[in-house]
Amino acid sequence: MNLNHAILPSWALLAYLASGVLFILSLRGLSSPNSARVGNRYGIIGMVIAIITTLLTQAPIPPGDWWPRPGPHDLVTLAKILAAIAIGGAIGTITARRIAMTDMPQLVAAFHSLVGLAAVLVGWAAYLNPATFAIIGADGLIDPLSRVEMGLGIAIGAITFSGSLIAFAKLNGNMSGAPILLPLRHVINLGTVAAILGLIGWFTQDQQHWVIAAITAAAFLIGFLLIIPIGGADMPVVVSMLNSYSGWAAAAMGFTLHNTAMIITGALVGSSGAILSYIMCKAMNRSFISVIAGGFGAEAGSGGEEARTDRPWKRGSAEDAAFLLSEAEQVIIIPGYGMAVAQAQHVLREMADRLKAEGVRVKYAIHPVAGRMPGHMNVLLAEANVPYEDVFELEDINSEFAQTDVAFIIGANDVVNPAAKTDPSSPIYGMPVFDVEKAKTIMFIKRSMGGVGYAGVDNDVFYMDQTMMLLADAKKMVEDIVKALQH
Amino acid sequence: MDFISILSIFTLACFVGYFVVWAVTPALHTPLMSVTNAISSVIVVGALIASASEGDGLASGLGLGAVVLASINIFGGFSVTARMLAMFKRKERPASTPSPKREGSK
């Protein structure tokens, strides 16, 4: 291969390696909240190194013997590029500052779609002007291996783009979270995937415009088709999966450009998304294949409706709850996404502070699927100034319910449903859940007795002897409890 | 670099990614996603090369478009991550931190 990468000065190659290493360190920092902020800075430094190195050696300034020598034309190009960075930077920074923490899943989905689209654009630019990317073989055509990498990069980028757009629309409420099930969808999907692979094979033999255009179009289509049948409850898996795809798209482009920083990053992001998808699937006891096949939540409510008979349940008032809470030794709060919807996290923390002042031990228990994306609930609690030392993961706290006076459930439902342990016919059977029924008292905040959880199943916890149903808007109820605690 | 060296780097990086990501504390999984989002925009390298390319106006136009998209992600991804991580700072607990400290210092 006569590719031009050898003409890059060695310092540039080392700089790309350094930025790859800095990206590894930025993820490494996230192993603890204390080191995470430094990690984020490593990531920023890595990105700055990658951009400056590229500007100085490959674009717009051609590499000199040991130091670049720009001409006037190069400086004009440089100005255009800096303007493009400034525009994107302004949009990105303003969005990041303004976004509400409850909307993080949408933001991340939107960002994924941008990475995907950028990969498609870069792939097309490399196809249209292969000389710049030094991927021309001895025969004057694009090197066949580069064509495979390019085709894969464009295809994965396009899937990431259209898939993330649908995920964004579902999370943002522009589109119903209910699965849309086309007839024969598995046949259509598998056919489209086969077509994309076939076209990439064809592309190695024939580098005409229509082939790469067909790859792009088919990949946009499959991204769309893959996500529409997936229901709202499975969105955490989808967002993680698209995170993984955006990484593989970057890696494929890195193969085309022979760029170390891109390859290392692509591999990191790809594995990160894959691991998060695995964790989310495990937390719902669903197989990855069944999530991708879609349709979960389509029959919501139909099974639960008949089962719900007139079983007796007890209603409590804010005053009763306040009394029991203040008498408790240990309270475990189990927040769910409903808490975030009601914006009750701040007043909840106020309640916890009051209880702590009275000597009550207060802990928060977080289920991996408590929010709309991995770790979402932790961020929402952190925003409300809940100390992260008080927040525990499912497996770390589940053994403590037997020594707990009050399990305080707010905005959660399926994650405390004992049917997951006892009823093999339940749609959530096998999902790891909190053993709330072992607590002395259960307080369950719920808007009314009518609604059921995401999975559409009735919950035996409502009817237990030690359960006190607190029927009201979550925020209003916690405010009333705080008021009652003041007396 | 030949294909095999690149494939080697890629394979080893996948293993590094596997171990590093499993070490991430579950509480920080959302910042993990936003920061991976930001760093995957290193694809901007390809966009920069494309936007500086000569001879094909469409290619450089696509490149500049990709620079804008990737920059949104870079700036947006890193700053939203920083914003979230700032919330995870160790908190001084208002209930358990009484006032004598303040009196002593003045």
Side-chain angles (χ1 to χ4, degrees), chain A residues 156-175:
Chain A
I156 302 171
I159 294 173
T160 313
F161 173 69
S162 54
S164 299
L165 276 190
I166 301 298
F168 172 84
K170 288 199 173 194
L171 287 163
N172 204 35
N174 306 101
M175 198 176 150

Side-chain angles (χ1 to χ4, degrees), chain A residues 278-298:
Chain A
Y278 170 80
I279 293 174
M280 288 295 112
C281 285
K282 215 165 149 248
M284 297 192 289
N285 190 39
R286 314 239 299 119
S287 79
F288 189 68
I289 299 292
S290 73
V291 170
I292 295 307
F296 187 67

Side-chain angles (χ1 to χ4, degrees), chain A residues 148-462:
Chain A
V148 174
E149 296 159 358
M150 194 188 283
L152 281 176
I154 290 177
I156 302 171
I159 294 173
T160 313
F161 173 69
S162 54
S164 299
L165 276 190
I166 301 298
F168 172 84
K170 288 199 173 194
L171 287 163
N172 204 35
N174 306 101
M175 198 176 150
S176 153
I180 298 169
L181 302 175
L182 298 177
L184 287 177
R185 62 182 198 279
H186 298 310
V187 179
I188 299 173
N189 289 354
L190 289 175
T192 316
V193 171
I196 291 172
L197 294 176
L199 283 165
I200 292 174
W202 184 282
F203 190 50
T204 60
Q205 303 306 315
D206 178 6
Q207 58 169 48
Q208 286 193 62
H209 280 24
W210 74 265
V211 187
I212 189 165
I215 293 173
T216 316
F220 277 133
L221 181 69
I222 188 72
F224 176 76
L225 291 174
L226 274 176
I227 310 302
I228 54 165
I230 303 181
D234 284 337
M235 275 303 137
V237 183
V238 170
V239 176
S240 314
M241 184 183 84
L242 292 166
N243 183 238
S244 181
Y245 288 179
S246 69
W248 304 129
M253 285 299 148
F255 273 90
T256 312
L257 300 181
H258 294 215
N259 183 293
T260 324
M262 278 166 91
I263 293 165
I264 295 178
T265 314
L268 289 178
V269 179
S271 7
S272 164
I275 290 173
L276 291 175
S277 314
Y278 170 80
I279 293 174
M280 288 295 112
C281 285
K282 215 165 149 248
M284 297 192 289
N285 190 39
R286 314 239 299 119
S287 79
F288 189 68
I289 299 292
S290 73
V291 170
I292 295 307
F296 187 67
E299 66 280 45
S302 59
E305 215 69 48
E306 303 145 39
R308 215 177 315 124
T309 46
D310 295 323
R311 293 153 75 184
W313 51 277
K314 283 196 293 277
R315 179 170 191 162
S317 71
E319 288 73 25
D320 304 336
F323 175 75
L324 281 170
L325 284 166
S326 60
E327 294 294 301
E329 257 180 55
Q330 171 156 299
V331 173
I332 297 181
I333 299 173
I334 300 158
Y337 191 68
M339 176 207 72
V341 173
Q343 288 291 323
Q345 58 268 45
H346 296 274
V347 64
L348 183 68
R349 200 253 315 147
E350 203 182 322
M351 181 189 97
D353 283 348
R354 287 198 180 277
L355 290 174
K356 280 187 200 166
E358 298 195 22
V360 182
R361 258 196 326 278
V362 182
K363 294 179 177 179
Y364 295 80
I366 309 250
H367 195 278
V369 295
R372 285 284 166 88
M373 70 186 286
H376 192 198
M377 192 52 67
N378 301 76
V379 172
L380 294 172
L381 291 179
E383 189 193 17
N385 283 323
V386 172
Y388 62 78
E389 300 90 342
D390 293 355
V391 180
F392 296 87
E393 303 298 320
L394 172 67
E395 59 269 31
D396 297 328
I397 202 165
N398 220 4
S399 58
E400 287 194 27
F401 280 99
Q403 296 91 47
T404 297
D405 301 288
V406 180
F408 191 87
I409 302 160
I410 171 165
N413 190 348
D414 294 336
V415 298
V416 297
N417 193 337
K421 291 178 282 190
T422 53
D423 178 9
S425 69
S426 167
I428 59 168
Y429 182 70
M431 174 171 149
V433 290
F434 292 111
D435 298 331
V436 283
E437 66 279 5
K438 291 188 183 150
K440 284 201 195 82
T441 306
I442 301 169
M443 295 185 189
F444 208 122
I445 300 192
K446 212 169 170 307
R447 202 171 265 283
S448 69
M449 285 304 281
V452 286
Y454 241 151
V457 275
D458 201 11
N459 194 337
D460 283 340
V461 168
F462 302 157

Side-chain angles (χ1 to χ4, degrees), chain B residues 4-5 9 13 16 23-25 29-31 35-36 40 43 47 56-57 59-60 67 73 77 80 83 88 94 96 106:
Chain B
I4 296 300
S5 333
I9 296 174
V16 172
V24 171
T25 171
H29 276 163
T30 297
V35 85
T36 49
S40 62
I43 200 156
D56 191 309
S60 57
V67 171
N73 243 318
V80 85
R83 213 182 121 195
F88 282 90
S96 60
K106 287 260 161 170

